[in-house]
Amino acid sequence: GEDVEQSLFLSVREGDSSVINCTYTDSSSTYLYWYKQEPGAGLQLLTYIFSNMDMKQDQRLTVLLNKKDKHLSLRIADTQTGDSAIYFCAEKGGGGADGLTFGKGTHLIIQP
Amino acid sequence: DTAVSQTPKYLVTQMGNDKSIKCEQNLGHDTMYWYKQDSKKFLKIMFSYNNKELIINETVPNRFSPKSPDKAHLNLHINSLELGDSAVYFCASSIGGAGRPQHFGDGTRLSIL
């Protein structure tokens, strides 16, 4: 079945750029997503990219998609303490339900 | 002006009870979903539903049943609660079904005693 993999933790210094990586297996994915979850909160849709694109930029966020390698990344420029959260990569799953397949999330830790 | 709202936010109950979680969206979306997030933060789809079709993840026990009184609501009913049901349950909605961005509620934290 479909699988989405992410590193569990990423630690960066405040002001540096954060790059969160994700790999997926479903070659038929049409959309790929990044969600942010702050402690005790719900999932916030950050950005998404259609599979015929290779880059999307939205203010401090840059998404890169390498469809050949099935690799997705999220770059956060000028990382701030408010960016501390869990970041989930997701793709449209083709399994038994018409929902998203999520990675296990990357905990972004900001060092002062 | 909350887009996807769930109630209750917290639910503490005893094993064996039956409980429901409500979800409402005011986005005009036609597809709604339920996800389960376990203690390790792993998210998994349980159901998706639009006015035509209910799709069930085959791993979900039949003690869980979604009920949709109208397009704006998808409630989750759980019978005979078990310890392993303790988790955070998220409702989401989207327009047009497959592939469209899903908007999530804030979650319901269910704790089974």
Side-chain angles (χ1 to χ4, degrees):
Chain A
E2 294 76 23
D3 197 16
V4 178
E5 297 286 341
Q6 301 176 240
S7 298
L8 288 181
F9 295 96
L10 175 66
S11 178
V12 298
R13 289 187 182 275
E14 190 175 358
D16 287 351
S17 291
S18 306
V19 180
I20 303 171
N21 294 301
C22 170
T23 57
Y24 59 98
T25 58
D26 186 359
S27 57
S28 66
S29 296
T30 52
Y31 288 92
L32 294 132
Y33 308 85
W34 285 103
Y35 283 86
K36 176 184 180 182
Q37 185 177 32
E38 297 182 29
L43 289 155
Q44 175 192 354
L45 176 65
L46 280 180
T47 186
Y48 62 99
I49 189 167
F50 189 53
S51 59
N52 69 353
M53 299 169 64
D54 52 20
M55 188 183 92
K56 181 178 180 181
Q57 187 157 4
D58 182 3
Q59 299 182 333
R60 291 191 299 124
L61 304 179
T62 303
V63 178
L64 295 177
L65 174 61
N66 182 327
K67 196 173 181 182
K68 175 176 169 290
D69 294 339
K70 300 191 187 68
H71 182 268
L72 183 73
S73 68
L74 174 70
R75 178 177 180 270
I76 306 172
D78 187 24
T79 308
Q80 303 298 309
T81 54
D83 296 324
S84 181
I86 304 175
Y87 290 82
F88 291 93
C89 172
E91 55 107 17
K92 159 62 182 71
D98 185 27
L100 299 178
T101 300
F102 283 86
K104 293 186 177 179
T106 298
H107 294 242
L108 180 61
I109 300 162
I110 315 301
Q111 300 172 27
Chain B
D1 56 345
T2 304
V4 181
S5 60
Q6 299 178 224
T7 53
K9 190 174 174 67
Y10 299 95
L11 182 53
V12 181
T13 189
Q14 291 189 322
M15 209 164 46
N17 284 349
D18 302 339
K19 289 293 178 185
S20 292
I21 306 171
K22 295 185 177 181
C23 178
E24 175 182 5
Q25 53 92 7
N26 62 5
L27 297 166
H29 289 169
D30 59 7
T31 306
M32 297 183 72
Y33 311 82
W34 279 103
Y35 289 83
K36 179 180 180 180
Q37 186 176 43
D38 65 21
S39 58
K40 295 182 179 178
K41 304 296 185 184
F42 187 45
L43 277 153
K44 195 164 186 180
I45 182 72
M46 300 176 71
F47 305 100
S48 69
Y49 182 78
N50 62 22
N51 58 359
K52 299 175 186 174
E53 190 177 14
L54 170 66
I55 303 175
I56 303 170
N57 186 314
E58 61 274 9
T59 67
V60 175
N62 58 14
R63 297 181 295 104
F64 290 78
S65 56
K67 298 191 191 305
S68 179
D70 55 57
K71 280 176 64 173
H73 296 83
L74 184 66
N75 303 325
L76 182 65
H77 190 75
I78 316 169
N79 288 328
S80 303
L81 281 157
E82 300 178 357
L83 289 175
D85 298 333
S86 293
V88 181
Y89 292 85
F90 287 99
C91 177
S93 71
S94 71
I95 191 162
R100 300 304 178 114
Q102 295 179 17
H103 297 265
F104 283 75
D106 287 339
T108 296
R109 184 174 297 276
L110 174 62
S111 299
I112 310 301
L113 304 177

